[in-house]
Amino acid sequence: MQADRSAVVDALQTFFSDGHDSWAPLITRTSDGIKFNNKPGQRDSLSSIEIAQFLGMAGPTHCANGWAFFSRALNSALSGDSHAAWHFAYYAELRAAQSILAASGVGVFDSWNCVLNAAGSCKVIDDPNQNRALPTHVMTWQGMRALLDPLNPSAESISNAITFHGNKLGEIVSKAFPGTPSWRNTFTWITSWLFDLEQGLKDKAMRNRCSYQPHELTEHVLSPNEGIDFLDHFWLLFEPEPGATFIGIDKYLLRDALTTEATNKLRVAGVLNATRADIKEELEVAYERLEASFPNLHLSQDFIVRNVNKAEPRILVEARDRTALPTTPLPILARASLFLRLATGISKNLLIDAGVRQPEQLDFWLQGLARERGFVSSTIDIDSWGDLFYELQVATEDLVSLKKDGEKIERAELLMNISTHRACEAERAVFWGLAV
């Protein structure tokens, strides 16, 4: 599956250069979604340009929808409905993956699926010997695996989703370990941070259990204290900073990527059972290269080689939990948050490549969305989307203060506190995440 995003970038570039005030011009014939009759060769087939236009709209909007599902998941978890939390978090994860695919030139339409190639042409990728196309869930996770194939150049846009003060992750790793293409080991990095991508279908199986089976058949409970701990940890990692939107989580992803590359280098050199000292030595040399190439990286050598902050953040630990029947929704919440981080970075890069240079160019969409969600008043325009974080910070600190000396918090006490609902508004992250 050799997808190319060039046609999607071109479609969005035309859209933004014309200065439209809604997504409507991109979906003139697809406002009800893409159907079987829109498939090439059918009676109402779409042109490749129309498909590219739809995907250009779908990339960022799937991302925003994913964050909305994630907000509902957090709220369900703190409200004592962990089964609903898994349901919503799975759809957050799915939408994030669909956002990545759309922004990369892959169309997942349920009744048929396609890719846009380097020439901008649409190629249907369904097996003609099958009665129907791969359904949305299966195609999404198989598509992600294909997109991240080490031999697929489209993986480069995914490795570039994470940036540090304008420096892309893939470029940083290439400078640290010369001779490695910036995108070549993207699959290894992503599966290290998240999970084997086949886990997506396993998450769906658990979602089916939570959505369709009596809840009493599956023990699945998150205590108020655990929920507050996760929220506190989550917002520490996803707090916006100028020039490095999600530096809190990204610095750990970079460290993990560098450690993976150091281990790979030792393995190629014949060191099959590298010790911590071996890896540390490689990372120290790599850090010297980084200091010379990226003086504004703002990460210490002690952090990179794990002399300080040795432990991985809880989100990475929970994301790797592959338990068949988890007793809390924390694994899916962690995986969804990481997928949304990637989707947000990929959507932001798509918008930048399409010519978005000022936050005001997205006001036609984001200002209305912020008001609809109640994040701002209809009489107020936001000057900086990062300002939306401060209410979340205050709300989370309020919840943490409820944990007096570690005593158990009653669910009723938690739900009577307005901060519980405010702190779950993770959907706000899409605003500062997409801001250019």
Side-chain angles (χ1 to χ4, degrees), residues 5 59-60 63 99 103 160-161 163 241-246 341-357 362 430-436:
R5 65 198 284 269
C63 177
S99 170
N160 290 338
T163 60
E241 288 191 22
T245 308
F246 299 117
R341 166 64 193 103
L342 286 178
T344 305
I346 289 168
S347 290
K348 180 176 180 177
N349 287 344
L350 176 67
L351 293 169
I352 290 173
D353 290 345
V356 176
R357 295 292 182 270
L362 297 176
V430 77
F431 294 90
W432 65 75
L434 293 182
V436 295

PDB file of all heavy atoms in Angstrom, residues 5 59-60 63 99 103 160-161 163 241-246 341-357 362 430-436:
ATOM      1  N   ARG A   5       0.655  11.645   0.212  1.00  0.00           N
ATOM      2  CA  ARG A   5      -0.204  12.724   0.709  1.00  0.00           C
ATOM      3  C   ARG A   5      -0.208  13.969  -0.170  1.00  0.00           C
ATOM      4  O   ARG A   5      -0.912  14.945   0.113  1.00  0.00           O
ATOM      5  CB  ARG A   5       0.236  13.107   2.131  1.00  0.00           C
ATOM      6  CG  ARG A   5       1.616  13.710   2.189  1.00  0.00           C
ATOM      7  CD  ARG A   5       2.207  13.689   3.585  1.00  0.00           C
ATOM      8  NE  ARG A   5       1.656  14.677   4.474  1.00  0.00           N
ATOM      9  CZ  ARG A   5       2.167  15.906   4.638  1.00  0.00           C
ATOM     10  NH1 ARG A   5       3.232  16.268   3.924  1.00  0.00           N
ATOM     11  NH2 ARG A   5       1.626  16.741   5.488  1.00  0.00           N
ATOM     12  N   GLY A  59      -8.801  14.526   7.675  1.00  0.00           N
ATOM     13  CA  GLY A  59      -7.621  14.409   8.542  1.00  0.00           C
ATOM     14  C   GLY A  59      -7.769  15.192   9.835  1.00  0.00           C
ATOM     15  O   GLY A  59      -7.806  14.625  10.934  1.00  0.00           O
ATOM     16  N   PRO A  60      -7.898  16.534   9.773  1.00  0.00           N
ATOM     17  CA  PRO A  60      -8.016  17.311  10.999  1.00  0.00           C
ATOM     18  C   PRO A  60      -9.325  17.090  11.747  1.00  0.00           C
ATOM     19  O   PRO A  60      -9.353  17.113  12.985  1.00  0.00           O
ATOM     20  CB  PRO A  60      -7.916  18.767  10.524  1.00  0.00           C
ATOM     21  CG  PRO A  60      -7.635  18.739   9.079  1.00  0.00           C
ATOM     22  CD  PRO A  60      -7.718  17.351   8.580  1.00  0.00           C
ATOM     23  N   CYS A  63      -9.368  13.947  13.736  1.00  0.00           N
ATOM     24  CA  CYS A  63      -8.525  14.178  14.905  1.00  0.00           C
ATOM     25  C   CYS A  63      -9.322  14.864  16.012  1.00  0.00           C
ATOM     26  O   CYS A  63      -9.300  14.444  17.174  1.00  0.00           O
ATOM     27  CB  CYS A  63      -7.317  15.026  14.501  1.00  0.00           C
ATOM     28  SG  CYS A  63      -6.218  15.455  15.860  1.00  0.00           S
ATOM     29  N   SER A  99      -7.654   9.538  11.211  1.00  0.00           N
ATOM     30  CA  SER A  99      -7.087  10.848  10.905  1.00  0.00           C
ATOM     31  C   SER A  99      -5.715  10.705  10.257  1.00  0.00           C
ATOM     32  O   SER A  99      -5.412  11.360   9.247  1.00  0.00           O
ATOM     33  CB  SER A  99      -6.974  11.663  12.203  1.00  0.00           C
ATOM     34  OG  SER A  99      -6.220  12.836  12.004  1.00  0.00           O
ATOM     35  N   ALA A 103      -4.901  11.840   6.352  1.00  0.00           N
ATOM     36  CA  ALA A 103      -3.864  12.833   6.106  1.00  0.00           C
ATOM     37  C   ALA A 103      -2.709  12.264   5.293  1.00  0.00           C
ATOM     38  O   ALA A 103      -1.930  13.012   4.696  1.00  0.00           O
ATOM     39  CB  ALA A 103      -3.342  13.386   7.428  1.00  0.00           C
ATOM     40  N   ASN A 160       7.615  12.609  11.560  1.00  0.00           N
ATOM     41  CA  ASN A 160       7.721  14.069  11.677  1.00  0.00           C
ATOM     42  C   ASN A 160       6.580  14.691  12.473  1.00  0.00           C
ATOM     43  O   ASN A 160       6.516  15.913  12.619  1.00  0.00           O
ATOM     44  CB  ASN A 160       7.772  14.703  10.284  1.00  0.00           C
ATOM     45  CG  ASN A 160       9.073  14.418   9.560  1.00  0.00           C
ATOM     46  OD1 ASN A 160      10.075  14.107  10.205  1.00  0.00           O
ATOM     47  ND2 ASN A 160       9.061  14.515   8.247  1.00  0.00           N
ATOM     48  N   ALA A 161       5.676  13.855  12.970  1.00  0.00           N
ATOM     49  CA  ALA A 161       4.532  14.377  13.723  1.00  0.00           C
ATOM     50  C   ALA A 161       4.953  14.986  15.044  1.00  0.00           C
ATOM     51  O   ALA A 161       4.248  15.824  15.606  1.00  0.00           O
ATOM     52  CB  ALA A 161       3.520  13.264  13.970  1.00  0.00           C
ATOM     53  N   THR A 163       7.647  17.204  17.113  1.00  0.00           N
ATOM     54  CA  THR A 163       8.689  18.207  16.901  1.00  0.00           C
ATOM     55  C   THR A 163       9.108  18.834  18.217  1.00  0.00           C
ATOM     56  O   THR A 163       8.336  18.890  19.177  1.00  0.00           O
ATOM     57  CB  THR A 163       8.205  19.325  15.955  1.00  0.00           C
ATOM     58  OG1 THR A 163       7.059  19.971  16.544  1.00  0.00           O
ATOM     59  CG2 THR A 163       7.826  18.770  14.589  1.00  0.00           C
ATOM     60  N   GLU A 241       3.208  24.143  25.569  1.00  0.00           N
ATOM     61  CA  GLU A 241       4.320  25.067  25.728  1.00  0.00           C
ATOM     62  C   GLU A 241       4.628  25.695  24.378  1.00  0.00           C
ATOM     63  O   GLU A 241       4.570  25.002  23.344  1.00  0.00           O
ATOM     64  CB  GLU A 241       5.572  24.354  26.257  1.00  0.00           C
ATOM     65  CG  GLU A 241       5.483  23.934  27.710  1.00  0.00           C
ATOM     66  CD  GLU A 241       6.835  23.487  28.258  1.00  0.00           C
ATOM     67  OE1 GLU A 241       7.863  23.894  27.676  1.00  0.00           O
ATOM     68  OE2 GLU A 241       6.850  22.733  29.238  1.00  0.00           O
ATOM     69  N   PRO A 242       4.956  26.972  24.316  1.00  0.00           N
ATOM     70  CA  PRO A 242       5.268  27.626  23.045  1.00  0.00           C
ATOM     71  C   PRO A 242       6.420  26.932  22.325  1.00  0.00           C
ATOM     72  O   PRO A 242       7.459  26.657  22.919  1.00  0.00           O
ATOM     73  CB  PRO A 242       5.663  29.051  23.469  1.00  0.00           C
ATOM     74  CG  PRO A 242       4.993  29.245  24.790  1.00  0.00           C
ATOM     75  CD  PRO A 242       5.023  27.902  25.454  1.00  0.00           C
ATOM     76  N   GLY A 243       6.205  26.625  21.060  1.00  0.00           N
ATOM     77  CA  GLY A 243       7.260  26.024  20.248  1.00  0.00           C
ATOM     78  C   GLY A 243       7.426  24.535  20.416  1.00  0.00           C
ATOM     79  O   GLY A 243       8.159  23.894  19.667  1.00  0.00           O
ATOM     80  N   ALA A 244       6.764  23.962  21.413  1.00  0.00           N
ATOM     81  CA  ALA A 244       6.869  22.518  21.648  1.00  0.00           C
ATOM     82  C   ALA A 244       5.567  22.084  22.326  1.00  0.00           C
ATOM     83  O   ALA A 244       5.514  21.881  23.535  1.00  0.00           O
ATOM     84  CB  ALA A 244       8.072  22.182  22.509  1.00  0.00           C
ATOM     85  N   THR A 245       4.546  21.953  21.514  1.00  0.00           N
ATOM     86  CA  THR A 245       3.171  21.855  22.012  1.00  0.00           C
ATOM     87  C   THR A 245       2.977  20.820  23.105  1.00  0.00           C
ATOM     88  O   THR A 245       2.350  21.085  24.123  1.00  0.00           O
ATOM     89  CB  THR A 245       2.220  21.539  20.840  1.00  0.00           C
ATOM     90  OG1 THR A 245       2.454  22.478  19.791  1.00  0.00           O
ATOM     91  CG2 THR A 245       0.778  21.650  21.291  1.00  0.00           C
ATOM     92  N   PHE A 246       3.501  19.621  22.892  1.00  0.00           N
ATOM     93  CA  PHE A 246       3.321  18.536  23.869  1.00  0.00           C
ATOM     94  C   PHE A 246       4.675  18.041  24.371  1.00  0.00           C
ATOM     95  O   PHE A 246       4.929  16.840  24.415  1.00  0.00           O
ATOM     96  CB  PHE A 246       2.539  17.381  23.245  1.00  0.00           C
ATOM     97  CG  PHE A 246       1.152  17.743  22.790  1.00  0.00           C
ATOM     98  CD1 PHE A 246       0.796  17.666  21.450  1.00  0.00           C
ATOM     99  CD2 PHE A 246       0.189  18.140  23.702  1.00  0.00           C
ATOM    100  CE1 PHE A 246      -0.482  17.987  21.028  1.00  0.00           C
ATOM    101  CE2 PHE A 246      -1.097  18.459  23.299  1.00  0.00           C
ATOM    102  CZ  PHE A 246      -1.443  18.391  21.951  1.00  0.00           C
ATOM    103  N   ARG A 341      -2.008  12.028  20.101  1.00  0.00           N
ATOM    104  CA  ARG A 341      -0.818  12.887  19.990  1.00  0.00           C
ATOM    105  C   ARG A 341      -0.249  12.814  18.577  1.00  0.00           C
ATOM    106  O   ARG A 341       0.074  13.838  17.970  1.00  0.00           O
ATOM    107  CB  ARG A 341       0.233  12.448  21.027  1.00  0.00           C
ATOM    108  CG  ARG A 341       1.630  13.027  20.792  1.00  0.00           C
ATOM    109  CD  ARG A 341       1.635  14.536  20.922  1.00  0.00           C
ATOM    110  NE  ARG A 341       2.835  15.168  20.421  1.00  0.00           N
ATOM    111  CZ  ARG A 341       2.935  15.802  19.273  1.00  0.00           C
ATOM    112  NH1 ARG A 341       1.899  15.842  18.432  1.00  0.00           N
ATOM    113  NH2 ARG A 341       4.044  16.426  18.922  1.00  0.00           N
ATOM    114  N   LEU A 342      -0.120  11.603  18.053  1.00  0.00           N
ATOM    115  CA  LEU A 342       0.403  11.439  16.696  1.00  0.00           C
ATOM    116  C   LEU A 342      -0.522  12.071  15.666  1.00  0.00           C
ATOM    117  O   LEU A 342      -0.079  12.773  14.754  1.00  0.00           O
ATOM    118  CB  LEU A 342       0.589   9.958  16.385  1.00  0.00           C
ATOM    119  CG  LEU A 342       1.771   9.245  17.038  1.00  0.00           C
ATOM    120  CD1 LEU A 342       1.762   7.772  16.660  1.00  0.00           C
ATOM    121  CD2 LEU A 342       3.090   9.887  16.640  1.00  0.00           C
ATOM    122  N   ALA A 343      -1.815  11.804  15.789  1.00  0.00           N
ATOM    123  CA  ALA A 343      -2.777  12.335  14.825  1.00  0.00           C
ATOM    124  C   ALA A 343      -2.767  13.860  14.815  1.00  0.00           C
ATOM    125  O   ALA A 343      -2.872  14.493  13.753  1.00  0.00           O
ATOM    126  CB  ALA A 343      -4.176  11.816  15.149  1.00  0.00           C
ATOM    127  N   THR A 344      -2.637  14.461  15.991  1.00  0.00           N
ATOM    128  CA  THR A 344      -2.621  15.916  16.077  1.00  0.00           C
ATOM    129  C   THR A 344      -1.390  16.490  15.380  1.00  0.00           C
ATOM    130  O   THR A 344      -1.482  17.469  14.634  1.00  0.00           O
ATOM    131  CB  THR A 344      -2.653  16.367  17.552  1.00  0.00           C
ATOM    132  OG1 THR A 344      -3.787  15.783  18.198  1.00  0.00           O
ATOM    133  CG2 THR A 344      -2.754  17.877  17.652  1.00  0.00           C
ATOM    134  N   GLY A 345      -0.243  15.875  15.597  1.00  0.00           N
ATOM    135  CA  GLY A 345       0.973  16.339  14.934  1.00  0.00           C
ATOM    136  C   GLY A 345       0.916  16.178  13.434  1.00  0.00           C
ATOM    137  O   GLY A 345       1.356  17.050  12.675  1.00  0.00           O
ATOM    138  N   ILE A 346       0.373  15.061  12.967  1.00  0.00           N
ATOM    139  CA  ILE A 346       0.271  14.810  11.530  1.00  0.00           C
ATOM    140  C   ILE A 346      -0.712  15.775  10.885  1.00  0.00           C
ATOM    141  O   ILE A 346      -0.465  16.327   9.799  1.00  0.00           O
ATOM    142  CB  ILE A 346      -0.140  13.344  11.278  1.00  0.00           C
ATOM    143  CG1 ILE A 346       1.032  12.428  11.630  1.00  0.00           C
ATOM    144  CG2 ILE A 346      -0.581  13.123   9.835  1.00  0.00           C
ATOM    145  CD1 ILE A 346       0.677  10.962  11.709  1.00  0.00           C
ATOM    146  N   SER A 347      -1.836  16.033  11.554  1.00  0.00           N
ATOM    147  CA  SER A 347      -2.819  16.990  11.021  1.00  0.00           C
ATOM    148  C   SER A 347      -2.228  18.404  10.988  1.00  0.00           C
ATOM    149  O   SER A 347      -2.443  19.153  10.027  1.00  0.00           O
ATOM    150  CB  SER A 347      -4.088  16.974  11.870  1.00  0.00           C
ATOM    151  OG  SER A 347      -4.800  15.769  11.694  1.00  0.00           O
ATOM    152  N   LYS A 348      -1.505  18.754  12.030  1.00  0.00           N
ATOM    153  CA  LYS A 348      -0.886  20.090  12.064  1.00  0.00           C
ATOM    154  C   LYS A 348       0.110  20.250  10.914  1.00  0.00           C
ATOM    155  O   LYS A 348       0.112  21.282  10.223  1.00  0.00           O
ATOM    156  CB  LYS A 348      -0.186  20.306  13.400  1.00  0.00           C
ATOM    157  CG  LYS A 348       0.481  21.677  13.518  1.00  0.00           C
ATOM    158  CD  LYS A 348       1.087  21.870  14.895  1.00  0.00           C
ATOM    159  CE  LYS A 348       1.747  23.237  15.018  1.00  0.00           C
ATOM    160  NZ  LYS A 348       2.277  23.475  16.386  1.00  0.00           N
ATOM    161  N   ASN A 349       0.947  19.255  10.686  1.00  0.00           N
ATOM    162  CA  ASN A 349       1.911  19.323   9.579  1.00  0.00           C
ATOM    163  C   ASN A 349       1.204  19.388   8.230  1.00  0.00           C
ATOM    164  O   ASN A 349       1.660  20.080   7.313  1.00  0.00           O
ATOM    165  CB  ASN A 349       2.854  18.122   9.625  1.00  0.00           C
ATOM    166  CG  ASN A 349       3.864  18.213  10.753  1.00  0.00           C
ATOM    167  OD1 ASN A 349       4.079  19.279  11.325  1.00  0.00           O
ATOM    168  ND2 ASN A 349       4.476  17.091  11.101  1.00  0.00           N
ATOM    169  N   LEU A 350       0.091  18.670   8.107  1.00  0.00           N
ATOM    170  CA  LEU A 350      -0.691  18.723   6.871  1.00  0.00           C
ATOM    171  C   LEU A 350      -1.185  20.144   6.625  1.00  0.00           C
ATOM    172  O   LEU A 350      -1.088  20.665   5.497  1.00  0.00           O
ATOM    173  CB  LEU A 350      -1.874  17.755   6.969  1.00  0.00           C
ATOM    174  CG  LEU A 350      -2.853  17.749   5.787  1.00  0.00           C
ATOM    175  CD1 LEU A 350      -2.178  17.204   4.532  1.00  0.00           C
ATOM    176  CD2 LEU A 350      -4.096  16.922   6.121  1.00  0.00           C
ATOM    177  N   LEU A 351      -1.697  20.775   7.661  1.00  0.00           N
ATOM    178  CA  LEU A 351      -2.204  22.140   7.520  1.00  0.00           C
ATOM    179  C   LEU A 351      -1.083  23.118   7.191  1.00  0.00           C
ATOM    180  O   LEU A 351      -1.245  24.007   6.350  1.00  0.00           O
ATOM    181  CB  LEU A 351      -2.909  22.556   8.817  1.00  0.00           C
ATOM    182  CG  LEU A 351      -4.199  21.787   9.141  1.00  0.00           C
ATOM    183  CD1 LEU A 351      -4.651  22.082  10.570  1.00  0.00           C
ATOM    184  CD2 LEU A 351      -5.301  22.125   8.150  1.00  0.00           C
ATOM    185  N   ILE A 352       0.066  22.953   7.834  1.00  0.00           N
ATOM    186  CA  ILE A 352       1.209  23.839   7.557  1.00  0.00           C
ATOM    187  C   ILE A 352       1.663  23.669   6.109  1.00  0.00           C
ATOM    188  O   ILE A 352       1.907  24.654   5.397  1.00  0.00           O
ATOM    189  CB  ILE A 352       2.362  23.547   8.534  1.00  0.00           C
ATOM    190  CG1 ILE A 352       1.979  24.003   9.945  1.00  0.00           C
ATOM    191  CG2 ILE A 352       3.652  24.239   8.073  1.00  0.00           C
ATOM    192  CD1 ILE A 352       2.981  23.604  11.011  1.00  0.00           C
ATOM    193  N   ASP A 353       1.772  22.423   5.655  1.00  0.00           N
ATOM    194  CA  ASP A 353       2.207  22.176   4.274  1.00  0.00           C
ATOM    195  C   ASP A 353       1.187  22.702   3.262  1.00  0.00           C
ATOM    196  O   ASP A 353       1.533  22.976   2.110  1.00  0.00           O
ATOM    197  CB  ASP A 353       2.435  20.681   4.053  1.00  0.00           C
ATOM    198  CG  ASP A 353       3.651  20.159   4.805  1.00  0.00           C
ATOM    199  OD1 ASP A 353       4.462  20.988   5.262  1.00  0.00           O
ATOM    200  OD2 ASP A 353       3.780  18.927   4.949  1.00  0.00           O
ATOM    201  N   ALA A 354      -0.061  22.845   3.710  1.00  0.00           N
ATOM    202  CA  ALA A 354      -1.106  23.372   2.826  1.00  0.00           C
ATOM    203  C   ALA A 354      -1.176  24.893   2.864  1.00  0.00           C
ATOM    204  O   ALA A 354      -2.039  25.495   2.218  1.00  0.00           O
ATOM    205  CB  ALA A 354      -2.458  22.781   3.216  1.00  0.00           C
ATOM    206  N   GLY A 355      -0.271  25.514   3.616  1.00  0.00           N
ATOM    207  CA  GLY A 355      -0.182  26.965   3.607  1.00  0.00           C
ATOM    208  C   GLY A 355      -0.775  27.676   4.804  1.00  0.00           C
ATOM    209  O   GLY A 355      -0.856  28.909   4.821  1.00  0.00           O
ATOM    210  N   VAL A 356      -1.183  26.944   5.825  1.00  0.00           N
ATOM    211  CA  VAL A 356      -1.709  27.593   7.030  1.00  0.00           C
ATOM    212  C   VAL A 356      -0.535  28.146   7.829  1.00  0.00           C
ATOM    213  O   VAL A 356       0.330  27.389   8.275  1.00  0.00           O
ATOM    214  CB  VAL A 356      -2.530  26.595   7.884  1.00  0.00           C
ATOM    215  CG1 VAL A 356      -2.985  27.272   9.184  1.00  0.00           C
ATOM    216  CG2 VAL A 356      -3.736  26.094   7.096  1.00  0.00           C
ATOM    217  N   ARG A 357      -0.512  29.445   8.005  1.00  0.00           N
ATOM    218  CA  ARG A 357       0.597  30.099   8.708  1.00  0.00           C
ATOM    219  C   ARG A 357       0.132  30.899   9.926  1.00  0.00           C
ATOM    220  O   ARG A 357       0.936  31.235  10.784  1.00  0.00           O
ATOM    221  CB  ARG A 357       1.333  31.051   7.751  1.00  0.00           C
ATOM    222  CG  ARG A 357       2.028  30.343   6.588  1.00  0.00           C
ATOM    223  CD  ARG A 357       3.202  29.511   7.077  1.00  0.00           C
ATOM    224  NE  ARG A 357       3.904  28.852   5.985  1.00  0.00           N
ATOM    225  CZ  ARG A 357       3.610  27.652   5.524  1.00  0.00           C
ATOM    226  NH1 ARG A 357       2.603  26.974   6.071  1.00  0.00           N
ATOM    227  NH2 ARG A 357       4.276  27.104   4.526  1.00  0.00           N
ATOM    228  N   LEU A 362      -7.749  29.103  10.725  1.00  0.00           N
ATOM    229  CA  LEU A 362      -8.600  28.000  11.176  1.00  0.00           C
ATOM    230  C   LEU A 362      -9.780  28.482  12.017  1.00  0.00           C
ATOM    231  O   LEU A 362     -10.563  27.668  12.515  1.00  0.00           O
ATOM    232  CB  LEU A 362      -7.769  27.008  12.001  1.00  0.00           C
ATOM    233  CG  LEU A 362      -6.625  26.295  11.263  1.00  0.00           C
ATOM    234  CD1 LEU A 362      -5.845  25.418  12.240  1.00  0.00           C
ATOM    235  CD2 LEU A 362      -7.158  25.457  10.115  1.00  0.00           C
ATOM    236  N   VAL A 430      -7.005  19.733  21.185  1.00  0.00           N
ATOM    237  CA  VAL A 430      -6.943  19.852  19.726  1.00  0.00           C
ATOM    238  C   VAL A 430      -6.746  21.296  19.309  1.00  0.00           C
ATOM    239  O   VAL A 430      -6.148  21.584  18.260  1.00  0.00           O
ATOM    240  CB  VAL A 430      -8.211  19.250  19.062  1.00  0.00           C
ATOM    241  CG1 VAL A 430      -9.409  20.182  19.184  1.00  0.00           C
ATOM    242  CG2 VAL A 430      -7.949  18.948  17.590  1.00  0.00           C
ATOM    243  N   PHE A 431      -7.201  22.252  20.136  1.00  0.00           N
ATOM    244  CA  PHE A 431      -7.095  23.658  19.769  1.00  0.00           C
ATOM    245  C   PHE A 431      -5.658  24.134  19.803  1.00  0.00           C
ATOM    246  O   PHE A 431      -5.177  24.762  18.861  1.00  0.00           O
ATOM    247  CB  PHE A 431      -7.984  24.499  20.702  1.00  0.00           C
ATOM    248  CG  PHE A 431      -9.458  24.211  20.525  1.00  0.00           C
ATOM    249  CD1 PHE A 431     -10.074  23.214  21.275  1.00  0.00           C
ATOM    250  CD2 PHE A 431     -10.211  24.921  19.612  1.00  0.00           C
ATOM    251  CE1 PHE A 431     -11.418  22.937  21.111  1.00  0.00           C
ATOM    252  CE2 PHE A 431     -11.564  24.652  19.441  1.00  0.00           C
ATOM    253  CZ  PHE A 431     -12.169  23.650  20.194  1.00  0.00           C
ATOM    254  N   TRP A 432      -4.953  23.864  20.911  1.00  0.00           N
ATOM    255  CA  TRP A 432      -3.544  24.285  20.928  1.00  0.00           C
ATOM    256  C   TRP A 432      -2.667  23.300  20.154  1.00  0.00           C
ATOM    257  O   TRP A 432      -1.604  23.665  19.686  1.00  0.00           O
ATOM    258  CB  TRP A 432      -3.040  24.505  22.344  1.00  0.00           C
ATOM    259  CG  TRP A 432      -2.964  23.311  23.248  1.00  0.00           C
ATOM    260  CD1 TRP A 432      -2.042  22.307  23.228  1.00  0.00           C
ATOM    261  CD2 TRP A 432      -3.845  23.008  24.349  1.00  0.00           C
ATOM    262  NE1 TRP A 432      -2.282  21.417  24.227  1.00  0.00           N
ATOM    263  CE2 TRP A 432      -3.378  21.816  24.949  1.00  0.00           C
ATOM    264  CE3 TRP A 432      -4.954  23.642  24.899  1.00  0.00           C
ATOM    265  CZ2 TRP A 432      -3.996  21.223  26.046  1.00  0.00           C
ATOM    266  CZ3 TRP A 432      -5.568  23.061  25.997  1.00  0.00           C
ATOM    267  CH2 TRP A 432      -5.097  21.864  26.550  1.00  0.00           C
ATOM    268  N   GLY A 433      -3.157  22.066  19.987  1.00  0.00           N
ATOM    269  CA  GLY A 433      -2.380  21.083  19.234  1.00  0.00           C
ATOM    270  C   GLY A 433      -2.285  21.400  17.761  1.00  0.00           C
ATOM    271  O   GLY A 433      -1.276  21.120  17.110  1.00  0.00           O
ATOM    272  N   LEU A 434      -3.345  21.999  17.184  1.00  0.00           N
ATOM    273  CA  LEU A 434      -3.363  22.340  15.755  1.00  0.00           C
ATOM    274  C   LEU A 434      -2.927  23.774  15.488  1.00  0.00           C
ATOM    275  O   LEU A 434      -2.757  24.154  14.333  1.00  0.00           O
ATOM    276  CB  LEU A 434      -4.759  22.110  15.172  1.00  0.00           C
ATOM    277  CG  LEU A 434      -5.239  20.657  15.108  1.00  0.00           C
ATOM    278  CD1 LEU A 434      -6.622  20.603  14.464  1.00  0.00           C
ATOM    279  CD2 LEU A 434      -4.273  19.782  14.339  1.00  0.00           C
ATOM    280  N   ALA A 435      -2.797  24.577  16.545  1.00  0.00           N
ATOM    281  CA  ALA A 435      -2.418  25.970  16.362  1.00  0.00           C
ATOM    282  C   ALA A 435      -1.039  26.067  15.728  1.00  0.00           C
ATOM    283  O   ALA A 435      -0.103  25.407  16.153  1.00  0.00           O
ATOM    284  CB  ALA A 435      -2.438  26.703  17.703  1.00  0.00           C
ATOM    285  N   VAL A 436      -0.920  26.901  14.710  1.00  0.00           N
ATOM    286  CA  VAL A 436       0.366  27.047  13.998  1.00  0.00           C
ATOM    287  C   VAL A 436       1.120  28.266  14.527  1.00  0.00           C
ATOM    288  O   VAL A 436       0.554  29.123  15.195  1.00  0.00           O
ATOM    289  CB  VAL A 436       0.131  27.210  12.476  1.00  0.00           C
ATOM    290  CG1 VAL A 436      -0.475  25.934  11.930  1.00  0.00           C
ATOM    291  CG2 VAL A 436      -0.765  28.396  12.181  1.00  0.00           C
TER     292      VAL A 436
END
